[in-house]
């Protein structure tokens, strides 16, 4: 019985780790998605890095 519980705990941990890994490597936003996000951005809440990136993206278009 102890081995069964240990195996269940180990498999749960393995699935959780794989799920977190897959979620973190889901993919980056495309330039079009970034431009849309910049249009919806609240200027008062955005940091300087985000503002600079949005400005650079807008200049490309």
């Amino acid at each position: 019985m102890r081995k069964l519980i240990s195996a269940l705990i180990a498999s749960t941990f393995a699935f959780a780790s794989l799920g977190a890994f897959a979620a973190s490597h889901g993919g980056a936003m495309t330039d079009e998605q970034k431009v849309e996000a910049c249009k919806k951005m609240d200027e008062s809440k955005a940091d300087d890095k985000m503002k600079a990136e949005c400005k650079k993206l807008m200049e490309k278009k």
Side-chain angles (χ1 to χ4, degrees):
M1 188 68 170
R2 282 187 138 160
K3 287 184 180 183
L4 176 65
I5 293 172
S6 296
L8 288 174
I9 291 171
S11 64
T12 303
F13 180 73
F15 282 119
S17 297
L18 288 174
F21 180 78
S24 68
H25 291 85
M29 292 174 64
T30 62
D31 285 344
E32 290 83 23
Q33 290 172 332
K34 287 181 184 178
V35 169
E36 290 299 318
C38 287
K39 290 178 183 176
K40 296 176 186 176
M41 173 181 66
D42 186 10
E43 290 286 330
S44 62
K45 294 181 181 178
D47 61 350
D48 292 335
K49 182 180 176 184
M50 181 68 178
K51 289 177 185 177
E53 186 176 331
C54 286
K55 183 179 177 183
K56 186 170 73 171
L57 283 171
M58 295 297 183
E59 288 174 354
K60 284 183 182 179
K61 294 276 177 183

